[in-house]
Amino acid sequence: MNAEMLNAEIRRLRVLVADDHAPTRQDVRRALDVDERFAICAEVADAAEAVRAAVYNRPDICLLDIRMPGSGLAAAWEIAARLPQAKIVMLTVSDEDSDIFAALRAGADGYLLKTMNLWRLPQALHGVCLGEAAMPRPLVARVLERFRGREPRWRPLVADDTFQHRLTSREWEVLELLAQGSTTSEIADRLVLSASGVRAHITSIVRKLRVSDRAAAIELFRRSTN
């Protein structure tokens, strides 16, 4: 947990609320306004606005609706790449496994359903800032069952893999596309990211693989997969 999170008791946690349903935004505001631990720094209605507002306001928590225009999942990927210190929590009507796991792969720290009692939302968000995962118990059981015996999110690149030599699933996708000769803009279109988001992933890949540039990362990828 970074220094900003450690100061949660002496300043309010800044929350970005992104949902195209105005009544939901109002309900979230009512739930958070009565809790002195939180302050809503922005309310937006689509994914593109969510990314812009996150970059501008640098919130502690981004509360995103999966089904909003532009896709809350795309916003989560982008925000996680640009603001790795921000906590991302999905608030959605969907309890489908595909959405849950897509959110986790995107970097979500929590997955909450709109059917919850929103007066419990402040405690759930505060728990996320303390390193806890916010998720209804039935969904937790499904996640554990699904992940048993499944490929882990962190995927090793080389045989003598260490933590520094591991890439996230999205970074792996970016590196695969780079190795196929795709340009930054082509990767952005393919993965529903901005060009700057793709460049942020490439920077992370180069750092984790301890190589000098993207060309060296591609060469390492090709050697390791042949």
Side-chain angles (χ1 to χ4, degrees), residues 74 84 98 130 135 175 183 188 222:
S98 59
L130 295 176
M135 186 177 294
L175 185 53
T183 65
R222 287 173 174 164

Side-chain angles (χ1 to χ4, degrees), residues 167 170-188 190-191 198-206 209 213-219 221-222:
L167 304 180
R170 179 47 60 101
E171 289 166 348
W172 183 270
E173 289 177 314
V174 170
L175 185 53
E176 284 183 318
L177 290 172
L178 283 173
Q180 293 169 15
S182 299
T183 65
T184 298
S185 60
E186 289 170 342
I187 295 173
R190 175 78 174 272
L191 300 182
V198 173
R199 286 192 289 270
H201 281 304
I202 294 172
T203 298
S204 178
I205 290 167
V206 169
L209 298 183
D213 53 30
R214 68 171 68 187
I218 292 170
E219 178 60 26
F221 170 83
R222 287 173 174 164

Side-chain angles (χ1 to χ4, degrees), residues 12-18 24-43 59-64 89 91 112 116-127 129:
R12 292 190 173 192
L13 294 166
R14 292 160 55 79
V15 182
L16 163 68
V17 181
T24 296
R25 296 198 305 272
Q26 293 167 5
D27 289 343
V28 169
R29 175 173 283 280
R30 279 193 290 267
L32 296 182
D33 277 350
V34 297
D35 194 310
E36 63 182 10
R37 294 174 295 182
F38 301 95
I40 294 178
C41 62
E43 293 183 38
D60 298 294
I61 305 166
C62 297
L63 193 61
L64 309 177
V89 178
L91 181 63
L112 300 174
M116 72 178 290
N117 182 342
L118 285 182
W119 295 111
R120 296 172 56 191
L121 182 61
Q123 192 58 35
L125 297 185
H126 189 254
C129 290

Side-chain angles (χ1 to χ4, degrees), residues 41-203:
C41 62
E43 293 183 38
V44 299
D46 62 49
E49 289 181 344
V51 173
R52 285 194 292 270
V55 172
Y56 179 78
N57 292 282
R58 306 187 73 82
D60 298 294
I61 305 166
C62 297
L63 193 61
L64 309 177
D65 175 30
I66 281 185
R67 296 286 187 257
M68 65 180 167
S71 172
L73 293 173
W77 277 113
E78 187 80 355
I79 293 170
R82 296 194 186 194
L83 302 172
Q85 78 281 4
K87 298 295 185 180
I88 298 174
V89 178
M90 314 308 294
L91 181 63
T92 177
V93 297
S94 173
D95 64 353
E96 296 178 9
D97 285 357
S98 59
D99 286 331
I100 296 169
F101 291 103
L104 295 177
R105 286 193 296 272
D109 301 282
Y111 193 98
L112 300 174
L113 299 178
K114 290 184 177 179
T115 53
M116 72 178 290
N117 182 342
L118 285 182
W119 295 111
R120 296 172 56 191
L121 182 61
Q123 192 58 35
L125 297 185
H126 189 254
V128 167
C129 290
L130 295 176
E132 301 172 3
M135 186 177 294
R137 290 182 180 180
L139 298 190
V140 171
R142 284 160 55 183
V143 168
L144 292 175
E145 182 64 27
R146 180 77 174 268
F147 269 97
R148 287 193 180 100
R150 299 294 180 116
E151 181 182 14
R153 182 181 176 194
W154 292 92
R155 183 172 179 175
L157 181 63
V158 292
D160 60 344
D161 179 65
T162 64
F163 180 78
Q164 289 80 9
H165 287 108
R166 293 185 180 187
L167 304 180
T168 64
S169 298
R170 179 47 60 101
E171 289 166 348
W172 183 270
E173 289 177 314
V174 170
L175 185 53
E176 284 183 318
L177 290 172
L178 283 173
Q180 293 169 15
S182 299
T183 65
T184 298
S185 60
E186 289 170 342
I187 295 173
D189 290 341
R190 175 78 174 272
L191 300 182
V192 196
L193 295 171
S194 70
S196 60
V198 173
R199 286 192 289 270
H201 281 304
I202 294 172
T203 298

